[in-house]
Structures are given as C-alpha cells and as structure tokens.
C-alpha cells in the first residue's frame, strides 16, 4: 500500500452467492465490524438482484456497492442483460470487468473488456479490471507478457484524465478459489509490472495514483503480508468476503 498517492480499496466479490435474505444476514453480522474502516475504501460487489437492498442497507455507512459485470452496449435488444446506465441509476459506484470466470465461462475477450471499460467510464462507473495468468502461463514464464497484453488492451482509448477512475486487480487464475495464494513477492512483482506499463503509457504521476489490488485466496491470515507490499493497494476478495469475521479482518489489515 502507499496511502500517500492512492486509495487502498478492499472489495468483496460475492460472485453467484447470497440471496437477498442471506445478504441481509451477512450485513447484520458485518455492520458492527466495518464501521471503523478509516483508511481504506470498502466495496461490496454483489449480484445484480441484491443491489437495491444493499444500497438501502449501506446508505449511512462508508461502504459502497459494486456490480460484477455489465453489458458492453449502452442499451437495446439484449435479453437478460444489465446496462451500465441501469447500474449507475441504482447508485452503483464500481463494476468488476473482465473477471477470469467471465473470460473462461462467457468467452469474454480483451477487446470486449475494453469496450466495457470505455462504456463504464463514459457512464460514470469505476471499473475494477481483472487481469491474471493461468498456471500454464506462469510455468512457461509468460506471466508478465500476458498480463501486459491484458492491461494494454483494457486501456486502449482511455484518456489520461479518466485513468484515475480505473482500478486494476491482479488475480492469478491458479490462486482463485484454490486456497493457493500468490506469495507476497509474486503479487508485488506483477503489480509493480502493471504500474510500470501504466507509467510508460500515461506518465509517472498517473501511474502512482492508480489503485492496483491483488485477488486470489486472500484471507484474514495472508492479507497483512500482501497489503504490506508497496504496489499492492488492496484486495478483491471472493470466498473470504462471504464470512463477516474474515472480511472484517482483511479490512482491519488494510487499516493499519
Ligand atoms: P477467492 O478469494 O475466493 O480466491 O476469489 C478471488 C476472486 O476471484 C475475486 O474476484
């Protein structure tokens, strides 16, 4: 973390978990634990159908609500899809884009992710852009090249004045939901590489103010060490965000 130049952001990604009833239960547990989040921003990226409820419940708190996806077109005949404008209208602030699960199961490509990034920015939503390599790519020593490609294509056409709205999340695919976390050194290496790419594209001032999270089996035990890395500015948390005490402990680690 480096609080001088950029915000630390702890974001929970509930994925396809939590009915509205369950979400209310988790909120009741979380509420007394998260009121003290002073130094970091806390975001809950919840399923679309939980957004109105969570917006209501979190109204007077410092916790903001995010979504996990949006369509790449502004509106139209796309049955079953949700637009950026709909999210904005509900008071959503962040939207996760290009998560590896959507890349893998829904065929999302780098160019589609780029379209979504541009539309999110135009609509006033802050994209949390996920990048990260597979185990095979890591073993072949392709991690930095692959992540560089993902970062550059996500940013195609993004002007420097909009760059600060973007958050990156480095999520190695082999660490997601596996209990196998990247070491602090591995996370730091890739996060630093991402910042270097941004520096080359947009200059030093822009690069140092962008938040770059780590995600992949982050939990109460490993959060402190990961967040101690200079270029790890927060976390995107899956499984551990579904347990109030675990999520609160990660926030606590970011608050130190
Ligand atoms: P886990 O924390 O469950 O590994 O999930 C990480 C993730 O994919 C967050 O977007």
């Amino acid at each position: 973390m480096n609080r001088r130049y950029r915000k630390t952001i702890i974001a929970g990604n509930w994925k396809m978990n939590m009915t509205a009833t369950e979400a209310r239960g988790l909120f009741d547990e979380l509420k007394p634990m998260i009121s003290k989040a002073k130094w970091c921003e806390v975001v809950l990226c919840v399923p679309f159908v939980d957004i109105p409820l969570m917006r209501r419940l979190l109204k007077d708190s410092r916790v903001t609500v995010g979504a996990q996806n949006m369509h790449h077109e502004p509106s139209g005949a796309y049955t079953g899809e949700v637009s950026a404008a709909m999210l904005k209208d509900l008071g959503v602030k962040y939207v996760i884009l290009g998560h590896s699960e959507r890349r893998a199961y829904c065929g999302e490509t780098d160019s589609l992710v780029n379209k979504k990034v541009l539309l999110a920015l135009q609509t006033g939503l802050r994209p949390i852009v996920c990048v990260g390599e597979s185990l095979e790519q890591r073993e072949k020593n392709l991690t930095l090249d692959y992540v560089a490609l993902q970062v550059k294509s996500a940013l195609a056409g993004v002007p420097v004045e909009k760059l600060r709205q973007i958050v990156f999340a480095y999520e190695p695919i082999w660490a997601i939901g596996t209990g196998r976390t990247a070491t602090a050194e591995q996370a730091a290496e890739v996060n630093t590489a991402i910042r270097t790419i941004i520096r080359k594209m947009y200059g030093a001032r822009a690069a140092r103010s962008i938040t770059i999270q780590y995600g992949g089996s982050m939990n109460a035990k490993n959060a402190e060490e990961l967040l101690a890395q200079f270029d790890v500015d927060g976390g995107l948390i899956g499984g551990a965000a579904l347990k109030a005490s675990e999520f609160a402990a990660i926030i606590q680690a970011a608050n130190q």
Side-chain angles (χ1 to χ4, degrees):
M1 298 184 278
N2 175 351
R3 290 201 192 106
R4 182 152 171 225
Y5 294 118
R6 47 193 180 257
K7 222 187 251 177
T8 304
I9 304 175
I10 299 295
N13 175 9
W14 286 3
K15 307 193 179 183
M16 196 175 72
N17 296 293
M18 295 284 154
T19 62
T21 309
E22 290 165 342
R24 188 183 286 275
L26 180 60
F27 168 79
D28 288 341
E29 270 189 82
L30 262 177
K31 196 179 170 193
M33 301 182 192
I34 54 181
S35 54
K36 294 179 207 93
K38 255 201 274 174
W39 295 104
C40 65
E41 184 165 352
V42 179
V43 186
L44 293 178
C45 297
V46 305
F48 291 136
V49 294
D50 294 340
I51 290 172
L53 170 71
M54 293 312 290
R55 278 283 297 152
R56 229 174 19 252
L57 294 177
L58 294 167
K59 190 167 44 80
D60 298 321
S61 78
R62 297 162 51 96
V63 180
T64 48
V65 175
Q68 300 170 14
N69 181 39
M70 54 173 247
H71 198 262
H72 62 278
E73 292 292 344
S75 66
Y78 299 99
T79 302
E81 296 291 343
V82 170
S83 74
M86 291 168 189
L87 298 176
K88 180 72 182 169
D89 189 59
L90 285 180
V92 167
K93 186 167 173 195
Y94 290 89
V95 59
I96 297 174
L97 297 178
H99 192 281
S100 62
E101 285 151 16
R102 295 205 58 86
R103 293 180 192 255
Y105 308 139
C106 309
E108 293 200 3
T109 60
D110 283 335
S111 84
L112 188 87
V113 174
N114 174 242
K115 274 192 186 166
K116 293 187 179 195
V117 168
L118 296 174
L119 180 58
L121 292 172
Q122 202 182 312
T123 313
L125 295 170
R126 297 193 62 186
I128 300 177
V129 180
C130 300
V131 296
E133 81 288 0
S134 65
L135 186 58
E136 194 187 348
Q137 287 165 326
R138 175 157 284 271
E139 282 167 351
K140 288 186 179 152
N141 222 5
L142 295 173
T143 299
L144 297 183
D145 288 343
Y146 183 68
V147 169
L149 208 73
Q150 288 182 314
V151 170
K152 284 182 200 157
S153 54
L155 290 174
V158 174
V160 68
E161 63 274 12
K162 291 272 189 192
L163 184 76
R164 277 189 81 145
Q165 298 302 314
I166 298 182
V167 174
F168 275 97
Y170 167 52
E171 297 209 308
I173 296 168
W174 47 269
I176 295 177
T178 58
R180 185 177 162 189
T181 321
T183 63
E185 294 71 34
Q186 286 171 324
E189 183 194 23
V190 180
N191 279 32
T192 301
I194 294 171
R195 202 178 305 285
T196 303
I197 294 160
I198 295 168
R199 183 177 308 121
K200 285 183 186 151
M201 292 174 79
Y202 292 95
R205 182 185 278 211
R208 78 178 178 207
S209 55
I210 194 160
T211 296
I212 307 176
Q213 302 171 311
Y214 167 79
S217 299
M218 194 188 257
N219 58 37
K221 283 204 190 78
N222 59 32
E224 195 175 333
E225 196 189 352
L226 287 160
L227 294 170
Q229 307 304 307
F230 187 74
D231 280 314
V232 177
D233 308 312
L236 185 55
I237 296 121
L242 301 174
K243 290 178 221 123
S245 57
E246 279 273 317
F247 192 56
I250 296 171
I251 295 168
Q252 173 89 22
N255 255 333
Q256 286 180 14

